[in-house]
Amino acid sequence: MLSERLTTSQTDEGRYRLLVEAVTDYAIYMLDSTGVVTSWNPGARRFKGYEAAEIIGEHFSRFYTPEDRAVGMPQTALDIATCEGKFEGEGWRVRKDGTHFWAHVVIDPIRDPEGELVGFAKITRDLTERRQVEESLRRSEEQFRLLVQSVTDYAIYMLDVNGNISSWNQGAQRIKGYLPDEVIGRHFSTFYTEADRQHGEPERALQTAIREGRFEREGLRVRKDGSVFNAHVIIDPIRDANGEVVGFAKVTRDITERIKNQHDLEQAREALFQSQKMDAIGQLTGGVAHDFNNLLMAILGSLELAKKRIPDDPQVTRLLDNAIQGAQRGSILTQRMLSFARRQSLEPKRIDLPVLMGNLLELLQSSIGANVRIETDLPRSLPPIIADENQLELALLNLTVNARDASAEGAVIRIEASDQALKSDNPIGLPAGRYVRVSVTDQGEGMDAETLARATEPFFTTKGVGKGTGLGLSMVHGMAEQIGGRFVLKSSPGQGTSGEIWIPAAAANAAVLTEEAAPADHGPAPSLKVLAVDDDGLVLFNTLAMLEDLGHVALEARSGTEALDILEKNAVDLVITDQAMPQMSGMQLIAAIKERWPNLPVILATGYAELPAGAIQGMPKLAKPFSETDLASTITKLFA
Ligand SMILES: Nc1ncnc2c1ncn2[C@@H]1O[C@H](COP(=O)(O)OP(=O)(O)OP(=O)(O)O)[C@@H](O)[C@H]1O
Ligand SMILES: [Mg+2]
C-alpha cells in the first residue's frame, strides 16, 4: 500500500488522484460517455451517501429527482457538456436516503487525444446551507419590506445621499398624499413649507443626521394638496460597510390630532377656570349685593318717610331728594350685581321679541344720542321666548350703550335676531334645543384678547373712574344664564364687537303664562292689621314705618317661629315676610301658614330669585328694596 502511494504520488496522474481523493467538500467523480459512474471520491460519498462499490457502474441519473428525470434532464446536461464544452447549473439532487440537497454542478466532457468523447468529469457542490441562508435572508428582507410597506400610521421612506426619495410606503402615501410614482426621485424638501425651505431646513436636517447620527424634530409639513400638518420627523443616516453615508431613513408621523387634542384640553381647562372664577365672583358679588340691598332699602324707606313728615322746607327737601337719588343709584347697582350673581328676582314670561324691540327702539335711540344710528333686523317669524321683560330690555340697553361708547360719530349699530336650532355638543355649550339669538353689533374699536376675556367680570371697566361701573356686561351675562340662555361676546381690535344673547324659545305648545294685569287704581286700601317678618332689624323697622305711614296697624316678628306664635294669638289680615332667614325661610313660613290659615294672604319680600319657579308664579311678591309705593300697590292688588 505504502509503496503504491509513493509511486502514484510520483506521477502526475497519481498526484491528481490523491488530490481528488482528499477533497471532501466537492463530489468529484467520472462518468463514461453514456453517463455511468466510473469513479467516486470521499466528497461524493459524503453528500450523496453511496459507497464507491455501490454506485460505480450505476447511471448518474439516479441523483436526479423523478421530475427532472422525466423531462430528460440528465441526458440534456450531458448533451450540453458535449456540445458546448461545459455544463453548469444548480438544482435539487437526491441522496441515497432519498433526501434532497441543492447542488451546484459542473460537467466537463473528457476526450482522448483524437478528440473522441470518452466520458465526463463531474464536480458537484452541496449548496443547501448557502441556499438556506440566502433564502431566509431573502424572506426576511421581503417580510421587512412588506412590513414597512404596509405600515400606514407612519410615513417610512428612504432618501439617497442627496436627499432624493428612493422608496415610499403606504403610510407616506396616506399622510402626504403622493403615490410612489409621483414622488420617487423628487427631493424631500418638497414636504417643507416655503419658509422652512428658504431657511435651509431640509439641508440642515440631513447634516444634523450625519453629524449627530440622528435628526428628530416636530414641525410643519406640506401635503400634496397644499394643506399643512404637524409632523414628528426622525432622520437616520444609512452607512455602508465602510461607514460611508449612502442615504437616509426617514420616519414621519402626523401629530396634528395629538396637538389638536392638547389644544382642546387646554381650552376646556381654561373654560372651566373661567366658569369657576365667574362662580366665585358671583358668590361674592351676590353676597355683598344682598346685604347692600337691605341697607339701601332701610335708607330709601327712611328717607321717603322723613321727606313726608318734615315740613315743606325747600332746603331740606333738596338734600333729601339728593340722598334719595344717590340711594336709588346705589340700588340700581345692587340690582345689576344681583343680576350677575343670578339672584335677580325675575318674572319670566312669554315675550314676542319684535314687539318688545318695537317698543324699546325709541328709548334705545334716545339713550345713545343722535350721533349713532340703530338699525334692526328682526324677522317676524321669530318664535316667542321666555324671559324677564324688564331685564331683557336692560340687557339690550347695556349692550347698545357699550356699542355707542366704542363707535365713532355717524356709526351704525345693528340689532339683529334669528331663530337658532342647537344640537347637543354645540360650541355655545347650551343644551340642544331652539333658541332666539339677539345680537348687538358695532363696527367700533373692538377689544383685545385680554379685555375680551375680562369684559363680563363685574367691575371690570376700561372707561375710567366715575365713568363706567363695569357691571353692564356682568348683568347681561347673569341675566342670560338665569333664564337658561347664554351671553356670547365676540370682538377683535379695530373690527368691532358683537354681543349675542341666546334665549330659549318658548315651547310651541307651552301654556301661555298669564300676563300680569296692569295694576288698576283701586283707591286707598282699607286699614289692615299686617304682620311683618324679617330677621334684619333695620329692614323690619323700615317696613313697619312704611306700613304705619300707609295707615295700617303693624305687628313685627324676627323669625318664622315668632311669626307663627303671633298669628296664634292675633287676628291678622296680611303677612309680609322676608325670604332669606335662618332656621325657617320665608317659603317655609308660608307653607306653615297655608296649612293652618289657608285664606291668610302672604307677600314674599325678596331680592333673590332662587325660589322654585312654581312658587313664584302667581305668588304676591315684593322685590327688595321696595319703596312705599311698591308696598302700597302690592297690598292694593291683594285686597282689590
Ligand atoms: N361694544 C364694545 N366695544 C368695545 N369694548 C367694549 C364693548 N362693550 C364692552 N366693552 C369693554 O368691556 C368693558 C366692560 O363693559 P361693561 O358694560 O361691563 O362695563 P362699562 O361699560 O365699562 O361700564 P357701565 O356698563 O357700567 O357703564 C368696557 O369697559 C369696555 O372696555
Ligand atoms: Mg357698559
Side-chain angles (χ1 to χ4, degrees):
M1 269 303 270
L2 190 72
S3 67
E4 195 189 28
R5 251 205 202 164
L6 216 72
T7 46
T8 48
S9 72
Q10 274 157 5
T11 64
D12 266 357
E13 202 195 319
R15 275 201 290 276
Y16 280 126
R17 226 178 80 201
L18 280 178
L19 178 70
V20 168
E21 300 223 315
V23 170
T24 54
D25 284 348
Y26 290 82
I28 303 174
Y29 57 99
M30 291 211 302
L31 309 176
D32 71 7
S33 58
T34 64
V36 170
V37 178
T38 57
S39 80
W40 200 240
N41 82 331
R45 192 178 66 213
R46 197 168 72 85
F47 325 145
K48 309 219 185 193
Y50 296 98
E51 293 300 327
E54 286 177 292
I55 197 71
I56 288 178
E58 295 293 331
H59 196 267
F60 86 112
S61 60
R62 71 161 51 205
F63 307 135
Y64 283 75
T65 61
E67 298 79 37
D68 285 353
R69 274 208 300 274
V71 296
M73 277 279 280
Q75 191 53 50
T76 311
L78 296 186
D79 291 348
I80 290 171
T82 313
C83 299
E84 297 177 6
K86 176 177 217 167
F87 169 86
E88 190 169 354
E90 289 188 7
W92 289 110
R93 294 294 183 272
V94 184
R95 296 196 185 94
K96 181 185 169 188
D97 64 7
T99 55
H100 289 190
F101 69 100
W102 186 259
H104 175 261
V105 178
V106 178
I107 305 176
D108 288 298
I110 304 169
R111 296 180 189 276
D112 65 11
E114 283 74 47
E116 203 58 40
L117 182 75
V118 291
F120 299 91
K122 197 160 178 284
I123 301 176
T124 304
R125 200 148 46 106
D126 185 347
L127 294 184
T128 313
E129 218 164 277
R130 202 189 78 193
R131 193 181 147 82
Q132 271 168 357
V133 171
E134 271 175 10
E135 177 65 15
S136 67
L137 191 66
R138 199 185 58 75
R139 211 176 298 144
S140 95
E141 274 175 0
E142 171 69 11
Q143 269 174 356
F144 187 67
R145 201 180 59 76
L146 280 175
L147 172 75
V148 168
Q149 186 48 42
S150 53
V151 166
T152 53
D153 284 347
Y154 291 79
I156 304 177
Y157 56 98
M158 293 207 304
L159 307 177
D160 66 16
V161 214
N162 301 317
N164 294 318
I165 295 151
S166 59
S167 78
W168 198 242
N169 81 334
Q170 272 189 48
Q173 188 172 324
R174 189 183 68 85
I175 294 173
K176 311 218 183 194
Y178 293 95
L179 294 172
D181 290 354
E182 298 171 312
V183 84
I184 286 178
R186 277 170 78 166
H187 196 261
F188 82 110
S189 59
T190 310
F191 310 134
Y192 283 70
T193 60
E194 186 60 45
D196 281 354
R197 268 204 300 273
Q198 303 237 316
H199 286 112
E201 285 299 331
E203 289 70 28
R204 196 165 309 137
L206 295 189
Q207 255 131 46
T208 309
I210 294 174
R211 201 177 51 244
E212 294 171 12
R214 152 171 287 213
F215 169 86
E216 182 167 359
R217 199 78 32 104
E218 288 184 3
L220 290 180
R221 293 292 182 275
V222 184
R223 295 195 185 88
K224 183 185 170 190
D225 63 11
S227 59
V228 172
F229 67 99
N230 292 99
H232 174 261
V233 177
I234 296 177
I235 305 178
D236 289 298
I238 304 171
R239 294 176 189 274
D240 66 10
N242 303 321
E244 285 295 315
V245 173
V246 291
F248 300 90
K250 203 157 174 287
V251 179
T252 303
R253 197 152 46 105
D254 184 348
I255 51 169
T256 313
E257 189 84 345
R258 198 193 76 198
I259 290 192
K260 186 179 166 295
N261 287 347
Q262 241 170 18
H263 181 73
D264 287 355
L265 190 69
E266 273 159 26
Q267 277 204 327
R269 272 208 201 109
E270 174 64 17
L272 182 67
F273 171 73
Q274 270 295 334
S275 92
Q276 284 174 339
K277 185 175 85 178
M278 287 303 228
D279 273 357
I281 303 177
Q283 294 267 337
L284 183 70
T285 316
V288 171
H290 174 248
D291 288 354
F292 265 89
N293 217 20
N294 280 345
L295 295 176
L296 285 167
M297 184 164 158
I299 295 171
L300 263 179
S302 299
L303 284 172
E304 273 175 13
L305 290 175
K307 203 176 136 190
K308 272 193 182 176
R309 289 184 192 171
I310 54 168
D312 221 3
D313 176 348
Q315 293 268 332
V316 181
T317 315
R318 240 193 36 229
L319 288 176
L320 283 178
D321 282 344
N322 200 31
I324 290 173
Q325 252 180 35
Q328 275 166 345
R329 286 243 304 268
S331 161
I332 290 172
L333 283 188
T334 57
Q335 292 305 319
R336 281 178 163 200
M337 282 157 73
L338 286 172
S339 283
F340 170 73
R342 287 174 242 163
R343 288 183 179 187
Q344 180 65 264
S345 67
L346 295 184
E347 297 272 3
K349 62 177 190 184
R350 209 178 159 102
I351 296 174
D352 186 18
L353 193 68
V355 172
L356 176 133
M357 275 305 299
N359 298 332
L360 184 64
L361 197 57
E362 205 176 319
L363 174 75
L364 288 181
Q365 186 69 69
S366 69
S367 323
I368 63 168
N371 288 334
V372 175
R373 198 158 45 82
I374 301 175
E375 273 181 17
T376 57
D377 181 5
L378 303 147
R380 284 263 125 218
S381 59
L382 282 179
I385 49 179
I386 301 281
D388 179 292
E389 192 164 0
N390 289 333
Q391 295 290 310
L392 181 57
E393 286 180 352
L394 196 57
L396 289 168
L397 179 67
N398 285 341
L399 289 177
T400 312
V401 169
N402 280 353
R404 189 269 323 266
D405 290 349
S407 296
E409 217 164 281
V412 172
I413 297 169
R414 290 191 62 81
I415 302 181
E416 291 160 313
S418 59
D419 187 0
Q420 301 277 340
L422 286 181
K423 297 207 175 70
S424 49
D425 265 345
N426 54 73
I428 312 292
L430 282 171
R434 196 169 177 198
Y435 294 85
V436 169
R437 184 186 65 194
V438 200
S439 61
V440 178
T441 308
D442 64 68
Q443 311 281 312
E445 60 199 19
M447 287 175 255
D448 58 28
E450 202 190 333
T451 309
L452 180 62
R454 298 196 56 194
T456 43
E457 272 177 31
F459 309 113
F460 176 83
T461 177
T462 57
K463 294 184 181 163
V465 184
K467 295 238 175 77
T469 64
L471 283 167
L473 294 182
S474 317
M475 176 268 151
V476 181
H477 165 82
M479 190 270 321
E481 293 287 325
Q482 206 179 337
I483 58 173
R486 184 123 310 161
F487 176 54
V488 179
L489 192 61
K490 296 172 180 166
S491 188
S492 51
Q495 302 290 313
T497 301
S498 174
E500 302 173 351
I501 310 175
W502 292 69
I503 309 165
N509 52 0
V512 180
L513 298 173
T514 43
E515 296 252 338
E516 255 174 69
D521 194 357
H522 295 286
S527 173
L528 303 167
K529 202 177 215 180
V530 184
L531 171 62
V533 193
D534 204 306
D535 61 321
D536 186 325
L538 217 52
V539 177
L540 189 58
F541 172 83
N542 195 51
T543 312
L544 293 171
M546 285 180 182
L547 285 169
E548 275 160 13
D549 193 61
L550 289 170
H552 303 299
V553 178
L555 304 177
E556 59 181 291
R558 298 260 175 158
S559 70
T561 344
E562 201 186 325
L564 292 172
D565 214 41
I566 293 173
L567 289 174
E568 289 285 352
K569 296 171 190 146
N570 299 276
V572 167
D573 304 308
L574 170 68
V575 179
I576 298 176
T577 177
D578 181 33
Q579 160 61 7
M581 293 184 295
Q583 276 113 38
M584 188 186 287
S585 73
M587 284 300 292
Q588 284 165 337
L589 174 62
I590 292 173
I593 293 174
K594 287 286 165 239
E595 216 161 82
R596 284 195 246 172
W597 303 280
N599 297 321
L600 178 59
V602 186
I603 296 173
L604 186 69
T606 177
Y608 279 3
E610 55 203 34
L611 306 178
I616 296 175
Q617 232 71 74
M619 175 182 290
K621 273 195 321 161
L622 261 174
K624 276 176 152 184
F626 50 85
S627 66
E628 195 177 312
T629 329
D630 296 334
L631 181 61
S633 75
T634 310
I635 296 175
T636 313
K637 253 192 270 171
L638 269 177
F639 289 89

